[in-house]
Amino acid sequence: MFAHNQQGGRLMLIKIFLVVILVVIAMYLYRRTQVVAKQELDKSTRTNKASEAKATVVSKDDTVQSDVVDTPVSVADSHETETTIKPDNDALTESKIPLTEVVEEPVLDAEPKDVVPAKELATQAEATATEEASTEKTEEAKTTPPIKDEAPVVDSQVEADESQGHQLSLATVKGDWASDSFVQLVDAANTASDAQSQHDALASVINHCYKMRKQSDYCQYGAALKVAYLDLFRVVYQQHVANDNAQDIKAPAFMQLSTLLNDIGEFGQAISVCQQAIEYHLTDGTVTGFEGRINRIEKAQAKVG
C-alpha cells in the first residue's frame, strides 16, 4: 500500500514537471513569434520609407529638369547644375533626363560678342544730342529775320515785363513851387500801367518842367527825370520797331531834357541826351538838328569853363 502511494506521487510529480516544461515551451514560442513578427513589421516599414524617399527624390529631380527646360541657361550655370544635382543611385540616373541635352536648346554665350561698352553708348548719345542742338540752332538762325541797319544800337530782345512797362515812381512834389496841375501830372505818370501810357505821361511832366524852367525847382525836377525817360523810351521805341512804324515816333522830350540839363550846368549829360537822339534818328525841329544843339552846348560849356 505504501509502495503504491509512492509510485502515485512520482507520477504526479512527473505530470507536474511535464506541464511546467510545456508551459515554458509555450511561453518561449509565444515570445519568439512576437519577436519575429516585430522584425517583419520593422522590415516592411523600412522598405516603405525607402520607396517613399526614392519617389520624393525622383519628383524633385523632375522639377529641376523642367525648370532647366523652361529657362535659358548659360554654359556656366549648366555646369553648376550638373555638379550640384547628383543621383543617389543607379535607378535615379537612368530615370532622369540628361541636363546636357536640355541645355543644347537656346544657350546664352558666356561671352557675348559685339557688345558696345556703356561708356561708348554714353559718348554716342552725347554726340547725337550735340548734333541735334547744332541743327536746331542752324535752323533758328536761318528763320530769324535780319535786323535793319537804320535801327539804333539797342538790345535785340525785350523781356515781356519790360514791354508792358515798369511802374513809375516819380518823386513826390513838395513845396509851394509846384502847381496843382503839375502835381496831377506827376500822379498820372505814377499810376500809368502800360509802357506807352507811362511814356506819354512822363513826357508831359518833362514838358511842364521845360515851360517852367525859369524856376529852378522845375528845372531841377525835370532834369532829374533823364534816366527814367531814356529807359522808358527805349522800350517804346522797340515796340514801334516791332510794328514797323519807328519812323513815326516824335520825342520832343529829348530836346527839352537837353535844355534842362544845360540850364543846370550838366553839359556832359545834355550832350549825351543829344547823341542818343541822333542814334534814334530824331530831330529837334531846328535846321541844324541835334548836331547843332551839341555845338551850342559845347560853346556854353566853354564859356563857363
Side-chain angles (χ1 to χ4, degrees), residues 274-286:
C274 294
Q275 289 173 343
Q276 291 193 45
I278 294 172
E279 292 178 358
Y280 287 117
H281 304 284
L282 299 175
T283 178
D284 63 351
T286 63

Side-chain angles (χ1 to χ4, degrees), residues 91-105:
L92 290 177
T93 305
E94 294 175 359
S95 62
K96 76 171 187 177
I97 302 173
L99 292 178
T100 55
E101 296 180 1
V102 176
V103 177
E104 287 178 359
E105 294 189 354

Side-chain angles (χ1 to χ4, degrees), residues 267 299-305:
F267 303 108
K299 290 179 181 179
Q301 184 180 10
K303 289 179 181 180
V304 173

Side-chain angles (χ1 to χ4, degrees), residues 182-230:
F182 182 70
V183 173
Q184 292 176 359
L185 290 174
V186 173
D187 291 340
N190 285 331
T191 56
S193 57
D194 60 284
Q196 186 63 54
S197 299
Q198 291 175 354
H199 172 269
D200 296 342
L202 187 56
S204 298
V205 174
I206 295 172
N207 181 57
H208 191 90
C209 292
Y210 175 76
K211 292 178 180 179
M212 304 295 294
R213 67 184 181 278
K214 298 300 179 182
Q215 299 181 27
S216 60
D217 291 324
Y218 281 103
C219 195
Q220 293 284 347
Y221 191 93
L225 300 177
K226 172 209 165 190
V227 175
Y229 179 79
L230 293 179

Side-chain angles (χ1 to χ4, degrees), residues 284-303:
D284 63 351
T286 63
V287 176
T288 57
F290 281 101
E291 291 83 355
R293 188 172 293 275
I294 291 175
N295 293 331
R296 290 193 294 273
I297 294 172
E298 291 175 343
K299 290 179 181 179
Q301 184 180 10
K303 289 179 181 180

Side-chain angles (χ1 to χ4, degrees), residues 57-95:
V57 172
V58 171
S59 64
K60 288 183 179 180
D61 189 60
D62 293 339
T63 303
V64 171
Q65 292 174 4
S66 64
D67 292 340
V68 172
V69 172
D70 294 338
T71 305
V73 183
S74 64
V75 175
D77 293 339
S78 65
H79 288 307
E80 290 181 359
T81 306
E82 290 179 357
T83 55
T84 303
I85 303 174
K86 293 292 183 179
D88 295 336
N89 49 46
D90 296 333
L92 290 177
T93 305
E94 294 175 359
S95 62

